[in-house]
Amino acid sequence: MFLLSYTTCSKPFQAADYEYSYKLEFECFFNSYQQSLKPQVQHFYQGKKEMTHEQKEAGYSSPHWKGDGPLEVGQECPILIKVPVKSLDITWGNDARFWQSITLSDHDTRETEFEQGMLLLQVNWIEVKGTLNITPTKDTKYEIFYVVKFRVDAFGWHSAPIKFKVRHKGEETHSHVMALESYREKHDVWHEIPGGEFSVMASKDPELVEFGIFEVDSDWWKGGMVLGGVKIKEKSG
């Protein structure tokens, strides 16, 4: 799944070409590393399965983070719904090789309005999803924003466009693809990256909204991104 094949990796080392040899060594390492993960990745994308009772009793845990945290709904107008990272489903999010849970600094908390974050160390495929049951008291349009910061050593985003999706009441209502390289270039700055819109009509019954970001098509490894959470803002006008 990498740009360099095994035949390329067997090219004789050229001592005078340090830059090439360093890149070659790096690519060969990840080639072997990715091959070791391939069976796990293929198994997961055949469909998630709940652990059996015996597995839970034996202390097994899933490598994928299942969101279980509360949402925060502001009382201000326009309405702001804050979705912390612990409320999101993150593929490989419970595996320390790929994602790391972090406590944001006081400064970052003031900037983002979130206290916890998830640091993406390295991953080939990205899948982050959230759900929202909303009971609208009036006809309202909302915008979704992913609160993200890229570290100075972030890598892989120039060749891996991210897909943003929104589903409302079981039907896909929004989808767009965006390269995040322009955000990566402004490192150590928090960005609110637009992830789509949805509209709800006044109702006494809750409506299910699903949203997420995905990159499962390329073979490119990505890392160095901090996800602070998701903000869902009422759109005026």
Side-chain angles (χ1 to χ4, degrees):
M1 295 176 67
F2 279 79
L3 295 180
L4 291 180
S5 66
Y6 285 106
T7 55
T8 302
C9 292
S10 64
K11 181 177 179 178
F13 175 73
Q14 300 294 325
D17 192 353
Y18 176 80
E19 181 178 357
Y20 172 78
S21 64
Y22 178 82
K23 180 180 179 181
L24 187 61
E25 180 180 357
F26 180 82
E27 294 285 355
C28 286
F29 168 76
F30 272 98
N31 234 334
S32 300
Y33 183 58
Q34 185 274 334
Q35 291 297 324
S36 70
L37 294 177
K38 190 174 182 179
Q40 303 176 47
V41 174
Q42 288 178 334
H43 173 74
F44 171 71
Y45 278 93
Q46 288 169 359
K48 293 183 182 177
K49 295 182 179 179
E50 294 293 330
M51 289 185 292
T52 66
H53 175 74
E54 290 75 15
Q55 287 175 321
K56 292 179 180 179
E57 288 294 314
Y60 290 102
S61 62
S62 170
H64 314 296
W65 177 261
K66 181 68 174 177
D68 62 358
L71 308 183
E72 181 179 336
V73 182
Q75 300 301 314
E76 66 272 19
C77 187
I79 294 173
L80 170 63
I81 302 170
K82 290 184 284 187
V83 186
V85 289
K86 294 302 183 182
S87 297
L88 300 170
D89 295 340
I90 304 177
T91 299
W92 302 115
N94 209 30
D95 190 321
R97 295 173 298 174
F98 306 113
W99 289 87
Q100 178 182 339
S101 178
I102 62 174
T103 299
L104 300 183
S105 67
D106 292 341
H107 172 76
D108 285 341
T109 296
R110 289 192 297 270
E111 289 281 317
T112 65
E113 302 181 81
F114 293 108
E115 296 180 354
Q116 300 290 322
M118 289 291 284
L119 169 61
L120 174 59
L121 300 173
Q122 57 180 6
V123 77
N124 183 228
W125 289 352
I126 289 180
E127 184 176 7
V128 177
K129 299 184 294 184
T131 58
L132 173 69
N133 278 299
I134 186 169
T135 305
T137 58
K138 62 178 181 177
D139 296 356
T140 312
K141 177 178 285 188
Y142 291 93
E143 295 179 282
I144 299 172
F145 296 91
Y146 293 85
V147 182
V148 167
K149 177 172 70 172
F150 291 93
R151 304 198 326 180
V152 67
D153 58 352
F155 62 92
W157 301 96
H158 60 289
S159 298
I162 304 299
K163 181 175 290 186
F164 296 81
K165 290 185 177 182
V166 180
R167 292 172 60 87
H168 183 209
K169 294 192 288 189
E171 296 185 4
E172 186 173 302
T173 57
H174 178 92
S175 177
H176 76 274
V177 177
M178 180 191 307
L180 302 186
E181 178 66 10
S182 60
Y183 293 100
R184 185 207 63 80
E185 292 174 350
K186 301 174 183 177
H187 56 79
D188 290 330
V189 175
W190 287 102
H191 306 281
E192 292 190 358
I193 301 177
E197 302 179 353
F198 64 94
S199 298
V200 293
M201 301 184 66
S203 172
K204 295 181 180 180
D205 299 318
E207 297 186 9
L208 176 64
V209 178
E210 303 165 274
F211 51 91
I213 60 175
F214 308 86
E215 203 293 282
V216 298
D217 298 322
S218 80
D219 301 335
W220 207 262
W221 284 81
K222 302 156 285 291
M225 180 189 78
V226 180
L227 176 62
V230 178
K231 293 182 179 180
I232 301 175
K233 303 180 181 182
E234 179 181 351
K235 188 174 182 179
S236 59

